[in-house]
């Protein structure tokens, strides 16, 4: 007969051993979860949330987007309601930013003008990044005569001064006395900016592709017989988009400034379009007598460009592991 005490003792030892194994497995599972590698984007987001410049720039950009999408949240005044009796009146309680030459409320026009300026910046950035990234990743991956041809082709556009090239393009498309429609002139300005700016995105993407192409995972995919399209979309593109994203963020602000420059020269957006650039253009002859016509729209352009530059700098630092 077996001893009941030994049976109960063995059962207790087995139970404690099982509990210890179960506890050890929980520890191992938790340690494995803790050691799970984080992606570059999750690390970048964790870094961005602690940066004051990122938060400040994001708040400013959110306000600008609200102004562009729903300007009636900020003003109920019609931006095209003219009152010549109030021409060039300075800021007051009735009109915070004063009135322009035609008696338009400058504050109302500034709120509504955010839409056209932001649309030009967004679409010009998207088109620039799309063209530049496509050409750049093809040139970087091919690294043959295709690379040489595409690189020299981009050098042609990179060598054209921006303002001179825009003057040539826009004056060729529109006669001096012609007044194109809203959609047509916005499209022409977007295309002009993209045509003259895509070489920068192309060079950034090409350089990133040349580096990523030498990595082991790309060589392994090529050795396993992966097609060039699969290598580009599954391996190269996800690992080369970060520097282009940083450029796009900064370029968006720069393109909003470019829209204002072209409008000031009289070759970009023009009435009846309401934009910050158009407002600056209309104020150039009245700065001494009515400086508010220039200062307020120029201030919005400056703040918006600065916000996107700050955002781009923060994103660049967060996506660069060497800077942390």
């Amino acid at each position: 007969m077996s001893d009941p005490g030994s049976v109960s003792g063995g059962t207790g030892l087995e139970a404690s051993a099982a509990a210890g194994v179960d506890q050890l497995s929980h520890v191992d599972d938790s340690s494995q979860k803790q050691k799970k590698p984080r992606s570059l984007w999750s690390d970048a987001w964790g870094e961005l949330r602690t940066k004051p410049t990122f938060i400040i720039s994001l708040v400013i950009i959110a306000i600008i987007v609200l102004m562009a999408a729903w300007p009636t949240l900020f003003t109920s005044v019609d931006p095209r309601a003219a009152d010549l009796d109030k021409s060039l009146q300075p800021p007051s309680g009735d009109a915070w930013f004063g009135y322009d030459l035609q008696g338009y409320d400058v504050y109302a026009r500034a709120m509504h003008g955010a839409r056209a300026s932001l649309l030009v910046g967004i679409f010009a950035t998207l088109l620039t990044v799309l063209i530049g990234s496509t050409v750049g990743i093809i040139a970087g991956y091919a690294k043959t005569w295709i690379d040489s041809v595409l690189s020299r082709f981009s050098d042609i556009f990179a060598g054209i001064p921006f303002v001179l090239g825009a003057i040539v393009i826009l004056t060729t498309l529109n006669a001096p006395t012609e007044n194109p429609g809203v959609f047509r002139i916005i499209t022409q300005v977007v295309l002009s900016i993209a045509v003259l700016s895509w070489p920068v995105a192309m060079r950034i993407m090409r350089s990133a592709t040349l580096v990523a192409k030498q990595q082991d995972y790309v060589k392994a995919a090529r050795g396993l017989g992966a097609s060039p399209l699969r290598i580009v979309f599954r391996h190269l593109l996800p690992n080369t988009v970060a520097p282009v994203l940083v450029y796009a963020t900064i370029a968006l602000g720069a393109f909003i400034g470019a829209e204002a420059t072209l409008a000031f020269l009289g070759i970009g957006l023009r009435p009846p379009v309401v934009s910050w650039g158009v407002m600056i253009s209309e104020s150039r002859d009245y700065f001494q007598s009515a400086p508010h016509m220039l200062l307020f729209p120029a201030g919005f352009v400056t703040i918006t460009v600065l916000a996107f530059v700050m955002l781009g700098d923060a994103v660049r630092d967060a996506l660069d592991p060497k800077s942390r």
Side-chain angles (χ1 to χ4, degrees), residues 57 60-65 67 110 113-114 117-118 121 249-250 252-257 276 296-312:
S57 62
I60 295 175
I61 292 172
I63 295 174
I64 299 298
V65 171
M67 288 168 49
S117 297
L118 196 61
T249 306
I250 299 175
L252 202 158
F255 292 160
I256 292 176
W276 294 333
F296 288 109
F300 276 104
V301 172
T302 303
I303 293 173
T304 304
V305 173
L306 180 61
F308 279 106
V309 171
M310 291 169 55
L311 180 64

Side-chain angles (χ1 to χ4, degrees), residues 117-151:
S117 297
L118 196 61
L119 284 177
V120 169
I122 290 174
F123 284 111
T125 302
L126 291 176
L127 190 57
T128 298
V129 170
L130 180 62
I131 298 174
S133 298
T134 303
V135 177
I137 203 168
I138 292 174
Y141 182 75
K143 196 57 182 175
T144 56
W145 61 269
I146 298 177
D147 180 24
S148 300
V149 171
L150 293 178
S151 297

Side-chain angles (χ1 to χ4, degrees), residues 159-196:
I160 302 175
F162 179 82
V163 175
L164 177 61
I167 291 174
V168 172
I169 294 173
L170 292 174
T171 54
T172 301
L173 295 175
N174 300 309
T177 58
E178 186 179 2
N179 189 13
V182 174
F183 178 78
R184 177 181 169 185
I185 189 60
I186 290 179
T187 303
Q188 290 176 355
V189 172
V190 168
L191 290 175
S192 300
I193 295 175
V195 165
L196 298 170

Side-chain angles (χ1 to χ4, degrees), residues 11 24 26 49 56 61 83 90 93 112 122 128 132 160 178 189 191 198 208 213 235 251 282 292 304 307 320:
T11 304
L24 182 61
H26 284 300
R49 287 183 298 179
I56 294 172
I61 292 172
D83 187 352
H112 287 265
I122 290 174
T128 298
I160 302 175
E178 186 179 2
V189 172
L191 290 175
W198 69 267
K213 190 174 67 171
H235 301 286
E282 293 174 343
H292 61 273
T304 304
D320 184 8

